[in-house]
């Protein structure tokens, strides 16, 4: 040992910590599968933070454990430790390094945030064709406002409409979305309204690889729309519309979870998003349009559900429950829903 | 009262000023103006509320042992989650750390006979029991507030109106208590140090209390405003937060978090102060980087006022705000890191005593590193959007509030119990307590991070069955934590009555509170001490002096 200088061991330890941290950063398996274009961006940021965090964790915990063993009081030793009161270069070092790390993480976060579309909610809805697509059913009445302004004034629209959330990512912000869905949160269900086809459902159906825009609002209390596999979340606020725009990248069925306490059955406010292949999606749309008339008939027979039926609506099969459909119908008729408009 | 006037005079103690030589047990149940009585009143009541809040937590974890809602009714579950948070924050950590340790220690550490405003101090304490009574009453008049400790409208305005109103009133009371206490601490520390003590000779706990008090004075009135507006909305037909009548729900969140983010620093800064006292004594080494630790408290206080929107990244938050508050939040990591590194460096090269106080302090250090790192990940908005309002957040804040604040309170109790009562706590029982607490904390709060990332939201009484296994592990951990308090309470009660006599300075410590009797006499010293050395000069020539050198320090009563 005496022949090998201390810097050598420091170097070996440094390399070991670096390698372990890099490995942990890539292999932690803490996050669910990625199903949207935003998900890998978020996960890469998290992996970097896990890597840095692991390194710091090992170094600090290692120093604590080493000190607790190496510098423990020996039997009979009642003396004090070394009277060291500080070390300016060392203190400057451990102030500077975290500063550099957090500035770096901050900049990286901004880049990720921008690529996710975080800077453009509400401002880039295409060329106002939403008006044609969403005449009456629109949960969020932004369409007339958007129709009046051209591309250049979109920032102005943003400030007036106060739409929050995630808009189009920088690459596609000039395109209008392929599918727009109005999402309404209510105790204790999500309602998905497709303005261009008139479909109303308790589950979200979207085509894979298409640019989907959700316009999110709440009817009663605050809810929060979350799809863990998309890494996207947006509170549904009464009176404050928000947007989530994403491209689903993987076919499958994923949970839609309410993430904001919304009452006694908040935990039961769960449904799912089904990411279809484009063909499947077209079939689904066609079948739903075909059965639309019968749906309305069922709904009208159940205009006022009892509380038992109301709670049954939070069961997993809620999408096909007549009670659910009745609620949706009710929600649609409720003046308050579309009455909460942007121009207050 | 006569003793109030006498006690603020930095003059020699004279007999016959209206207080007895020694407080009787029943004096602790009265409107007493002695800062030590008030400190113990704060500590004892907060430890009782800790049991209440912990009981609620155990019932909630029992509910969550299975995915379905089958143990508590969902309304009661929400009432428990609301009041668990409220009690643990406002009636346990804040009063124990600030009211308890602050009141007991600040005058003793700076060589004062009492706080600057003793009656105000007593009023501040006596606002707490009625606040607890209001929360208890809220369960009997409508089943308790159920909108979470954040009480976001509109939910808080349409759910359980009377209990919600009582809840708001209780928080306004403890907030007022906090403001009164903060004024008192600032004036006391500023004006009542012994003349020989300069700012940079103050123990670091005093610096921490300065930062805490400034923060409380800036932030708490805003919470009171939010809650009073909420009371008006619920009861008097106003519509500040009612969107269908022109109100705005997001404004409440800003008002609430403008207080409640600084509140987490209110809960951790005094604990950081306790750390800076306990570690040097039991490591037998001067604190490493006194100035860095002192100033980093003030930096956290300043930056901590500008990070509140990170609780609202998924709410109605404009893009620029998400960015601004990401950066400001990440910056908090720097002064916090400085403290952590300084404490580790204090350990390095010491002669570490494995006392229970030290074990809890080092346990805190270890927990806080993890909680701090997960906090950095939460500060970055793109990742926070995924895990906001999930169990990841629950795991994070329990790591910093339980693994941080509660460990710190335990550490402080083991360290200063001999000073407060004159008797030592039982060390073997203390070590059982530490081991159970350490294991329980890791078992309970670590799996929560994974649950949150995988998709489990917080504040749910029912959840997706795929999360059942980890939840059962968490529930087992919570039972370990519930059991862990048993040896502690036994230890405290038994030692208080029959523990080993402590003497004035059992740890051979160098701050001023150890220069007087244990427990200190009323008005603290026969003759005010004179400062002859700094608070942490271990290993130097002066270190073998117990208490300030020279006359006229009385360590025993004549």
């Amino acid at each position: 040992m005496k022949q090998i200088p201390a810097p050598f061991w420091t170097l070996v330890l440094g390399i070991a910590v670096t390698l372990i941290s890099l490995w942990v950063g890539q292999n932690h398996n803490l996050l669910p599968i990625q199903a949207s274009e935003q998900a890998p961006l978020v996960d890469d940021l998290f992996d970097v933070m896990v890597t840095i965090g692991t390194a710091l964790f090992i170094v600090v915990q290692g120093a604590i454990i080493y000190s607790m063993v190496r510098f423990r009081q020996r039997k009979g030793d009642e003396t004090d430790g070394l009277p060291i009161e500080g070390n300016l270069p060392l203190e400057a070092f451990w102030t500077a390094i975290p500063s550099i790390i957090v500035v770096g993480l901050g900049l990286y976060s901004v880049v990720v945030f921008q690529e996710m579309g975080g800077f453009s909610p509400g401002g880039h809805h295409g060329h106002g064709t939403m008006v044609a697509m969403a005449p009456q059913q629109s949960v969020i009445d932004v369409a007339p406002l958007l129709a009046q302004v051209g591309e250049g004034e979109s920032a102005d629209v943003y400030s007036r409409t106060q739409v929050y959330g995630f808009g189009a990512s920088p690459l596609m912000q000039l395109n209008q979305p392929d599918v727009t869905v109005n999402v309404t949160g209510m105790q204790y269900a999500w309602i998905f309204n497709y303005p261009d086809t008139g479909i109303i459902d308790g589950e979200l159906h979207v085509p894979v690889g298409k640019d989907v825009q959700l316009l999110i609002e709440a009817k009663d209390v605050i809810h929060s729309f979350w799809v863990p596999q998309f890494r996207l979340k947006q509170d549904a606020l009464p009176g404050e519309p928000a947007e989530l725009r994403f491209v689903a990248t993987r076919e499958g069925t994923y949970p839609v979870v309410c993430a904001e306490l919304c009452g006694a059955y908040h935990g039961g406010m769960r449904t799912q998003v089904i990411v279809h292949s484009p063909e499947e999606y077209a079939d689904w749309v066609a079948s739903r349009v075909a059965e639309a008339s019968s749906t309305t008939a069922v709904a009208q027979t159940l205009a006022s559900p009892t509380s038992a039926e109301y709670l049954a609506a939070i069961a997993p099969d809620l999408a096909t429950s007549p009670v659910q459909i009745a609620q949706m119908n009710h929600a649609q008729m409720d003046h308050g829903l579309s009455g909460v408009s942007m121009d207050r | 009262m006569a003793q109030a006037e006498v006690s603020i005079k930095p003059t020699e103690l004279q007999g016959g000023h209206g207080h007895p030589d020694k407080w009787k047990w029943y004096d602790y149940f009265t409107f007493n103006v002695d800062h030590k009585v008030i400190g113990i009143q704060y500590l004892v009541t907060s430890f009782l509320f800790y049991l209440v809040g912990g009981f609620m937590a155990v019932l909630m974890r029992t509910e969550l042992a299975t995915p379905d809602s089958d143990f508590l009714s969902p309304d009661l579950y929400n009432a428990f989650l609301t009041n668990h948070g409220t009690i643990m924050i406002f009636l346990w950590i804040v009063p124990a750390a600030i009211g308890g340790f602050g009141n007991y220690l600040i005058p003793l550490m700076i060589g004062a006979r009492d706080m600057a405003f003793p009656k105000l101090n007593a009023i501040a304490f006596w606002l707490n029991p009625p606040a607890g009574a209001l929360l208890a009453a809220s369960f009997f008049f409508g089943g308790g507030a159920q909108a979470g400790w954040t009480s976001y409208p509109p939910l808080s305005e349409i759910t359980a109106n009377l209990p919600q109103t009582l809840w708001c009133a209780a928080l306004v009371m403890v907030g007022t208590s906090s403001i009164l206490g903060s004024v008192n601490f600032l004036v006391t520390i500023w004006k009542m140090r012994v003349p020989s003590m300069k700012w940079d000779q103050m123990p670091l706990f005093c610096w921490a209390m300065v930062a805490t008090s400034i923060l409380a004075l800036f932030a708490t009135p805003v919470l009171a405003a939010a809650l009073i507006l909420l009371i008006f909305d619920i009861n008097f037909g106003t519509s500040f937060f009612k969107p269908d009548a022109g109100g705005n729900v997001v404004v409440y969140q800003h008002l609430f978090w403008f207080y409640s983010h600084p509140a987490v620093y209110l809960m951790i800064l005094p604990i950081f102060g306790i750390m800076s006292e306990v570690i040097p004594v039991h490591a037998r080494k001067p604190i490493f980087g006194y100035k860095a630790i002192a100033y980093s408290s003030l930096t956290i206080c300043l930056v901590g006022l500008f990070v509140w929107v990170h609780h609202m990244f998924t709410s109605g938050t404009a893009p620029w705000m998400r960015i601004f508050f990401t950066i400001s939040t990440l910056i908090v990591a720097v002064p916090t890191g400085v403290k952590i590194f300084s404490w580790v460096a204090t350990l390095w090269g010491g002669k570490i005593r494995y006392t229970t106080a030290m074990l809890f302090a080092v346990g805190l250090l270890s927990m806080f590193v993890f909680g701090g790192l997960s906090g950095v990940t939460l500060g970055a908005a793109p990742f926070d959007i995924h895990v906001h309002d999930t169990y990841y957040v629950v795991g994070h804040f329990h790591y910093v509030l339980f693994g941080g604040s509660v460990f710190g309170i335990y550490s402080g109790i083991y360290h200063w119990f001999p000073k407060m009562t004159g008797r030592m706590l039982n060390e073997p029982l203390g070590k059982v307590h530490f081991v159970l607490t350490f294991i329980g904390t890791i078992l309970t709060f670590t799996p929560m991070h994974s649950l949150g990332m995988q998709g489990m939201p917080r504040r749910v009484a029912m959840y997706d069955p795929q999360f059942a296994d980890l939840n059962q592990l968490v529930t087992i951990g919570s039972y370990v934590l519930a059991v862990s308090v048993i040896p502690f309470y036994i230890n405290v009660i038994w030692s208080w009555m029959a523990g080993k006599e402590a003497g004035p300075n059992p740890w051979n410590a160098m701050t001023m509170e150890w220069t007087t009797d244990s427990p200190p006499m009323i008005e603290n010293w026969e003759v005010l001490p004179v400062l002859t050395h700094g608070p942490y000069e271990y290993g130097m020539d002066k270190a073998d002096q117990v208490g300030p050198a020279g006359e006229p320090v009385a360590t025993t009563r004549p």
Side-chain angles (χ1 to χ4, degrees), chain B residues 469-482:
Chain B
D469 291 346
L470 278 180
N471 269 295
Q472 276 160 14
L473 188 64
V474 172
T475 299
I476 291 167
S478 75
Y479 291 163
V480 174
L481 283 181

Side-chain angles (χ1 to χ4, degrees), chain B residues 253-289:
Chain B
Q253 299 178 11
H254 281 289
L255 294 175
F256 180 84
W257 287 115
F258 185 81
Y259 166 76
S260 293
H261 188 79
V264 310
Y265 300 119
L266 296 186
M267 289 186 274
I268 202 66
L269 281 172
I271 301 301
F272 286 168
I274 291 173
M275 290 288 282
S276 301
E277 300 304 323
V278 171
I279 288 180
V281 173
H282 298 268
R284 312 306 305 165
K285 240 192 101 203
I287 191 83
F288 191 96

Side-chain angles (χ1 to χ4, degrees), chain A residues 29-331:
Chain A
N29 289 328
L30 286 166
L31 291 162
I33 52 169
Q34 304 169 338
S36 76
E37 281 189 349
Q38 280 102 336
L41 299 170
V42 175
D43 290 7
D44 287 350
L45 172 64
F46 183 64
D47 290 348
V48 168
M49 292 193 290
V50 168
T51 306
I52 297 169
T54 305
L56 282 170
F57 184 83
I58 294 173
V59 168
V60 178
Q61 301 285 18
I64 293 171
I65 293 167
Y66 180 81
S67 299
M68 289 302 283
V69 175
R70 170 81 176 73
F71 302 115
R72 70 186 187 278
Q73 180 191 22
R74 314 290 161 141
K75 262 205 171 62
D77 182 1
E78 293 296 329
T79 60
D80 287 347
L82 301 169
I84 304 164
E85 293 188 296
N87 182 327
L88 204 57
L90 187 60
E91 288 168 57
F93 174 77
W94 69 43
T95 310
I97 296 294
S99 303
I100 292 166
I101 291 174
V102 299
V103 168
L105 280 180
L107 293 175
Y108 186 16
S109 297
V110 175
V111 171
V112 170
F113 188 72
Q114 194 213 9
E115 288 182 12
M116 290 172 75
F119 284 116
S120 52
H124 303 279
H125 287 282
H127 300 278
T129 41
M130 241 174 71
V131 184
M133 301 191 318
Q136 297 300 328
Q137 295 95 329
S138 175
V139 176
I140 301 155
D141 213 4
V142 294
L145 271 173
L146 289 166
Q148 293 162 13
V149 294
E151 196 61 30
E153 292 162 65
S154 50
D156 185 36
V157 173
Y158 165 70
S159 64
R160 266 192 284 151
T161 58
Q162 289 292 301
V163 176
Y164 304 113
F166 283 94
S169 69
L171 287 177
M172 53 175 53
Q173 60 183 309
L174 296 178
N175 303 328
Q176 69 182 71
D178 298 316
V179 180
T180 296
V181 187
N182 293 323
V183 181
T184 307
M186 57 191 292
Q187 289 175 323
Y188 300 95
W190 293 105
I191 295 159
F192 301 98
N193 182 333
Y194 295 71
D196 45 352
T197 53
I199 297 171
I200 301 173
D201 207 318
E203 293 177 339
L204 178 60
H205 294 257
V206 297
V208 73
K210 298 288 183 187
D211 184 10
V212 179
Q213 180 189 43
L214 307 181
L215 299 175
I216 300 171
E217 198 170 26
K219 180 170 146 41
D220 36 34
V221 300
I222 301 172
H223 303 275
S224 190
F225 177 93
W226 180 33
V227 178
Q229 285 73 11
F230 291 175
R231 311 287 189 273
L232 287 177
K233 184 183 289 132
Q234 174 56 49
D235 287 5
L237 300 153
E240 298 279 337
E243 175 185 8
L244 272 188
R245 199 155 154 179
F246 62 88
V247 176
T249 52
R250 195 175 182 282
E251 289 173 42
T253 302
Y254 311 108
V256 173
V257 183
C258 176
E260 179 65 56
L261 178 62
C262 61
Y265 295 92
H266 162 55
M269 187 167 162
R270 299 192 294 264
T271 182
Q272 48 199 20
V273 49
I274 296 119
V275 180
H276 295 286
S277 67
E279 302 78 42
E280 268 176 22
Y281 180 73
D283 290 349
W284 175 79
V285 170
S287 69
R288 288 309 305 270
V289 169
E291 71 188 41
S293 54
S294 59
T295 304
T296 317
V298 174
Q300 266 149 12
T301 64
L302 278 163
S304 55
T306 66
S307 62
E309 287 166 329
Y310 189 76
L311 293 180
I314 64 168
D317 59 341
L318 79 177
T320 52
S321 149
V323 180
Q324 177 79 21
I325 294 161
Q327 282 177 5
M328 289 182 241
N329 197 40
H330 178 68

Side-chain angles (χ1 to χ4, degrees), chain B residues 294-430:
Chain B
Y295 297 158
S296 64
S297 287
L298 299 178
T299 313
I300 290 173
C301 164
L302 181 72
V303 182
L305 281 169
F306 300 97
V307 300
W308 77 92
V309 175
H310 68 219
H311 296 272
M312 301 166 54
F313 278 155
T314 66
S315 182
T317 306
W320 72 265
M321 277 188 164
R322 288 170 158 189
I323 292 308
F324 177 90
F325 286 94
T326 290
I327 308 239
S328 64
T329 302
L330 292 175
I331 289 171
V332 180
V334 176
T336 315
V338 165
K339 282 180 186 290
I340 301 264
F341 298 138
S342 298
W343 293 322
V344 174
T346 307
L347 293 177
W348 194 277
K351 300 270 171 83
I352 298 169
R353 267 72 166 155
Y354 275 56
T355 54
T356 310
M358 188 61 163
L359 290 177
F360 271 108
V362 175
L364 187 161
L365 202 49
S366 187
M367 296 288 170
F368 207 85
V369 172
F370 188 81
L373 290 170
S374 66
V376 171
T377 64
L378 284 169
F383 180 68
D384 180 73
I385 283 164
H386 174 52
V387 291
H388 174 75
D389 262 333
T390 70
Y391 260 84
Y392 187 89
V393 175
V394 179
H396 159 73
F397 70 67
H398 279 95
Y399 250 90
V400 290
L401 287 182
F402 194 92
S405 301
V406 177
F407 271 55
I409 291 170
Y410 281 143
S411 176
I413 291 290
Y414 281 98
H415 185 71
W416 281 295
F417 186 88
K419 179 52 59 185
M420 293 173 178
T421 65
R423 294 179 186 277
M424 305 298 288
L425 281 166
N426 181 290
E427 279 290 323
L429 213 49

